[in-house]
Amino acid sequence: MAQNVAKIRNIGITAHIDAGKTTLSERILYYTKKIHKIGEVDEGSATMDYMPQEQERGITITSAATMFLWKGYEIHLIDTPGHVDFTIEVERSLRVLDGVVAVLCAVGGVQPQTETVWHQAERYKVPRIVFVNKLDRIGADFNRAISMMRERLGANPVPVQIPMFRGDEFLGVIDLIRMKSIVWDQSTLGDEFSFDDIPDEFLEEALAARKTMLESAAEMDEELLEHYLENEDLDEKQIIRGLRIGTLSNRLVPTLCGSALKNQGVQPVIDAVIDFLPSPADVPPVSGVNPTTGEVEFRAPKAKEPLCAFVFKVMMDQGRKATYVRVYSGELEAEKEVYNATRGSKERVARLFLTHANKREKITAAFPGTIVLAVGLKDARTGDTLTSPSAPLVLESLDMHIPVISIAIEPKTRSDQEKLLASLEKLALEDPTFTYSENTDTGQLLISGMGELHLEIILDRLSREYGVEVQTGKPQVVYKETITATGKAHAVFDRDIHDVHHRGEVTVSVEPAPRGEGTSFAVSPKLDTIPQELLNFIEQGAREATLAGVLAGNEVVDIKVTLEAVAQDPFSMTGLGAKVAAALACKEACEKASPALLEPLMNVEVVVPDEFVGEVIADLNSRRGRLEEVTPRGKTSVVLAVVPLATMFGYSTSLRSVTQGRGIFTMQYSHYDTKS
């Protein structure tokens, strides 16, 4: 493992489903000699898709990590899922990555999940390069993909390559930095390629594209700009320097192109990772809060700094827990004790491994900038920080996504009953977007996740990995509740409990908050003399009251609760009495405030031949969908709509029916809104 952090790259590959990112990963591993035979996604033989469920469906479900060497650099790569049901895998990978290769389909361009993962990367300020893939496909349009990046992503793509086409045949690419054409030898599976002079038929287009690239690179640095204005040119090193400055500051996105499936354009992508994406040394020192002092502290990516590492993924391997860890500073050593600053407990790292998908290589220590698998951490969870006991620090955790769909399950046999809860607990430990709970009213066991496919995979894993067979009920939508008006209520609690007299008397008001704001609690200014301890009990009671609404017992969200008054003698109230009174008053106030159900709405994109657009729109309207946009795309159209999740069950069958099997759709969670 490299100890020179400047020679390390931590990258992820992200894309919309079926854009070809796992195919790209497979070629990268082949050309860097990490593997010696190319596996294919469609054949279920791709290295990074090692789960049986991935191989059978031809999709990536869990993020897989590997490490390879290229031209003296150590590159840690995570291949992430493209399906929206597994977006947590992208989220937690982006949390620890320094750079991203975003893959676009040259036919589909910017698709819904492209936007989702792009904005996730923006939130973490992760620099990106783009690979426009599938240029061998009919309907491929490089320039259209570039335009969609500007329009839909608000990005500043700077092509460093352009494709060469003769008719519909994709020949290779033109390297605009070196002004050479690159053609790959298919007899060597693309392992060999040649740099040649640019054919005359492409020269004019290449010169115009190079001029745009030069201007973009020069604008990133005053010295480069001055040189360019004087000479109207930059050399290779200057171009790379300017583009790297722009990439690291997220002001531009170097864009490459090719066809991973046809083994064209892959090696330049690996070179671009080194040239443009940051090393751990290029990223600002990680910051966190010292749990002892409450002060913000920083850790630089140096081995001599105190240990600071982030747990971004937990997995169960043959019933044993293992954790993926990104080391930010110091050394993480096997057989040594670490401090879990998030949970305030000491843990012991039994063993450390570098991973290659589901294969492992044992190591004794991990250095700053590396991603490793640790075994032996019993308490660690996703989002925890591991540090030196003498220098604790808690890094910002992960944003967790809320499950939107539930189904009821019950074990088939008594032996399954005994194993079920333990198995569900292990699955929930791995996946923060999967939850399970028992409905106290019906006695049903409910499992919840991000979509039908997500829960289908969970049930499949229950059977295969844990040997638990279950029966399932129909999918259930996770509704929430809110209020649409204001309400006010007064409540008194006065009772003896276990020979102790408890009393509470409060008045609260409730009002709607903007959608997505959640629940907030405020205290009227006139109550500034109330003891803080008592206010804490009152707030606790009010918040607990919002966990079960008055319409159907769903969580109440987007509500502001204000404490308006308490008993004339607040010191006569007990903590428990104040808490119960607050809960009663909040419940009654919500009843007076015109409560309403909220349901999850989904962004739906349907790609369909033009002759079926009318039928698709009519079907979406029948599902209470709101049409957003219809965009022509060659002989097909893209229909965008916002549709309630409750009406989308079984939509794939309906779509096949109304389009003679020629329509495809993708769906992702948008937001909660009032049920119409």
Side-chain angles (χ1 to χ4, degrees):
M1 292 178 66
Q3 295 189 39
N4 179 3
V5 292
K7 290 283 188 177
I8 295 175
R9 298 290 185 273
N10 287 308
I11 65 164
I13 299 189
T14 65
H16 182 89
I17 189 170
D18 203 32
K21 60 192 163 29
T22 300
T23 302
L24 176 63
S25 299
E26 195 74 12
R27 267 61 181 179
I28 288 174
L29 295 178
Y30 177 73
Y31 298 134
T32 58
K33 312 302 181 189
K34 188 72 178 181
I35 59 176
H36 303 290
K37 179 184 176 183
I38 296 177
E40 300 294 356
V41 174
D42 293 344
E43 297 171 4
S45 58
T47 305
M48 303 301 276
D49 286 349
Y50 60 85
M51 291 175 65
Q53 296 86 350
E54 295 176 314
Q55 294 165 356
E56 291 167 1
R57 291 167 174 80
I59 62 171
T60 303
I61 292 168
T62 183
S63 53
T66 188
M67 188 277 287
F68 56 86
L69 303 176
W70 182 255
K71 298 182 178 179
Y73 286 78
E74 180 181 298
I75 301 177
H76 296 256
L77 180 148
I78 296 180
D79 179 29
T80 65
H83 198 289
V84 66
D85 281 16
F86 310 106
T87 191
I88 184 62
E89 293 291 329
V90 183
E91 184 86 28
R92 57 185 170 190
S93 298
L94 287 172
R95 173 65 178 78
V96 297
L97 293 171
D98 300 324
V100 161
V101 179
V103 181
L104 295 190
C105 171
V107 180
V110 174
Q111 298 165 285
Q113 187 66 358
T114 314
E115 296 185 57
T116 300
V117 297
W118 190 270
H119 295 316
Q120 284 175 310
E122 278 186 336
R123 188 164 67 249
Y124 290 114
K125 296 183 173 65
V126 181
R128 280 140 281 170
I129 63 174
V130 164
F131 178 64
V132 179
N133 191 26
K134 299 194 175 184
L135 283 168
D136 60 301
R137 297 273 292 272
I138 293 174
D141 190 333
F142 178 74
N143 291 328
R144 180 174 161 275
I146 296 295
S147 297
M148 291 181 77
M149 286 178 65
R150 292 193 181 100
E151 294 164 10
R152 290 200 181 181
L153 303 178
N156 178 22
V158 177
V160 295
Q161 295 175 345
I162 58 172
M164 295 187 294
F165 283 99
R166 189 164 290 138
D168 288 334
E169 184 186 3
F170 174 54
L171 305 175
V173 306
I174 294 172
D175 182 336
L176 299 175
I177 297 176
R178 297 159 190 86
M179 283 303 278
K180 293 285 184 181
S181 67
I182 313 177
V183 177
W184 281 264
D185 182 354
Q186 291 304 308
S187 67
T188 65
L189 294 178
D191 203 13
E192 295 181 7
F193 50 93
S194 59
F195 283 90
D196 295 305
D197 291 336
I198 300 170
D200 291 343
E201 61 190 296
F202 305 113
L203 191 56
E204 184 179 346
E205 182 187 1
L207 287 169
R210 177 179 165 86
K211 186 173 186 294
T212 301
M213 178 196 68
L214 287 173
E215 290 172 351
S216 297
E219 288 172 357
M220 296 299 114
D221 180 82
E222 286 187 17
E223 185 181 319
L224 290 177
L225 182 58
E226 187 176 325
H227 185 280
Y228 177 69
L229 292 174
E230 288 178 2
N231 302 278
E232 294 190 359
D233 200 8
L234 298 172
D235 63 29
E236 181 180 327
K237 287 185 177 180
Q238 289 172 318
I239 295 169
I240 291 173
R241 179 182 153 207
L243 294 176
R244 182 177 178 80
I245 291 170
T247 307
L248 298 189
S249 59
N250 284 306
R251 287 182 285 168
L252 58 77
V253 182
T255 303
L256 302 91
C257 57
S259 168
L261 184 65
K262 300 293 182 167
N263 312 308
Q264 296 169 294
V266 177
Q267 294 93 333
V269 173
I270 318 175
D271 289 335
V273 165
I274 292 169
D275 287 340
F276 305 128
L277 292 180
S279 74
D282 296 315
V283 178
V286 68
S287 64
V289 176
N290 185 317
T292 305
T293 66
E295 297 292 320
V296 175
E297 296 180 8
F298 298 88
R299 296 285 186 270
K302 298 177 181 178
K304 293 182 179 179
E305 289 261 317
L307 171 67
C308 182
F310 185 79
V311 177
F312 68 95
K313 181 175 178 177
V314 174
M315 61 177 285
M316 303 304 296
D317 183 21
Q318 298 178 347
R320 295 181 178 178
K321 181 180 168 187
T323 54
Y324 277 99
V325 177
R326 159 73 191 260
V327 182
Y328 284 100
S329 66
E331 290 184 36
L332 182 64
E333 298 179 82
E335 301 181 6
K336 291 290 180 69
E337 194 175 74
V338 296
Y339 181 67
N340 187 327
T342 306
R343 304 194 177 275
S345 61
K346 291 184 178 180
E347 301 205 57
R348 187 174 178 272
V349 179
R351 286 166 293 164
L352 286 174
F353 300 91
L354 284 176
T355 63
H356 174 51
N358 59 339
K359 298 181 176 64
R360 299 177 180 179
E361 176 190 337
K362 193 173 182 180
I363 57 176
T364 57
F367 300 97
T370 55
I371 292 172
V372 295
L373 187 71
V375 176
L377 300 172
K378 295 180 180 179
D379 295 334
R381 301 287 187 272
T382 299
D384 285 1
T385 307
L386 308 177
T387 67
S388 304
S390 59
L393 193 71
V394 178
L395 303 181
E396 181 184 357
S397 191
L398 278 163
D399 289 335
M400 301 302 181
H401 295 258
I402 302 169
V404 296
I405 181 174
S406 300
I407 58 174
I409 62 170
E410 59 181 37
K412 285 186 176 180
T413 66
R414 185 178 294 275
S415 62
D416 287 332
Q417 169 104 39
E418 294 170 356
K419 294 188 291 184
L420 179 57
L421 288 177
S423 302
L424 290 175
E425 184 179 354
K426 290 178 179 178
L427 289 167
L429 185 65
E430 287 186 284
D431 184 353
T433 60
F434 168 69
T435 61
Y436 64 96
S437 61
E438 189 171 352
N439 187 317
T440 53
D441 295 328
T442 64
Q444 282 185 315
L445 186 62
L446 299 176
I447 61 172
S448 305
M450 300 302 294
E452 288 180 276
L453 178 61
H454 187 196
L455 294 183
E456 181 186 321
I457 298 297
I458 291 290
L459 294 174
D460 191 54
R461 292 187 62 195
L462 264 180
S463 173
R464 290 197 201 204
E465 296 175 27
Y466 297 98
V468 178
E469 300 295 333
V470 297
Q471 294 173 321
T472 62
K474 289 184 178 181
Q476 299 290 318
V477 176
V478 179
Y479 291 98
K480 295 184 184 296
E481 296 180 26
T482 191
I483 56 174
T484 58
T486 59
K488 190 173 182 178
H490 174 77
V492 177
F493 180 80
D494 200 337
R495 189 178 301 175
D496 289 334
I497 299 176
H498 300 305
D499 298 328
V500 178
H501 185 70
H502 291 280
R503 186 176 188 281
E505 182 178 355
V506 302
T507 302
V508 301
S509 64
V510 295
E511 60 184 290
R515 196 67 64 236
E517 287 286 311
T519 301
S520 63
F521 180 81
V523 180
S524 172
K526 62 187 178 185
L527 300 179
D528 58 354
T529 59
I530 305 298
Q532 184 60 48
E533 186 179 359
L534 194 61
L535 291 176
N536 291 342
F537 278 111
I538 294 172
E539 179 176 356
Q540 189 179 354
R543 288 188 179 277
E544 287 183 4
T546 65
L547 297 178
V550 297
L551 292 177
N554 303 295
E555 181 187 1
V556 183
V557 296
D558 304 336
I559 176 177
K560 180 181 179 182
V561 182
T562 303
L563 177 63
E564 300 287 356
V566 298
Q568 286 188 342
D569 179 11
F571 295 99
S572 68
M573 296 198 299
T574 61
L576 178 60
K579 177 181 172 181
V580 175
L584 294 172
C586 188
K587 207 90 165 176
E588 185 181 340
C590 287
E591 289 177 352
K592 297 176 179 178
S594 301
L597 272 184
L598 293 174
E599 63 178 345
L601 301 182
M602 313 299 286
N603 287 325
V604 178
E605 179 185 86
V606 187
V607 181
V608 61
D610 289 338
E611 61 263 38
F612 300 112
V613 169
E615 288 88 340
V616 168
I617 292 175
D619 185 52
L620 291 172
N621 286 337
S622 73
R623 297 171 186 272
R624 296 191 285 124
R626 185 181 75 244
L627 186 66
E628 297 283 292
E629 185 181 353
V630 180
T631 307
R633 185 185 292 173
K635 294 182 179 179
T636 63
S637 291
V638 181
V639 180
L640 299 176
V642 178
V643 191
L645 174 62
T647 68
M648 288 299 291
F649 297 123
Y651 181 65
S652 56
T653 303
S654 175
L655 181 63
R656 283 195 295 268
S657 175
V658 299
T659 64
Q660 298 176 12
R662 296 168 65 192
I664 59 172
F665 84 102
T666 55
M667 178 174 72
Q668 66 185 81
Y669 168 72
S670 174
H671 63 285
Y672 272 86
D673 211 339
T674 310
K675 186 177 180 182
S676 56

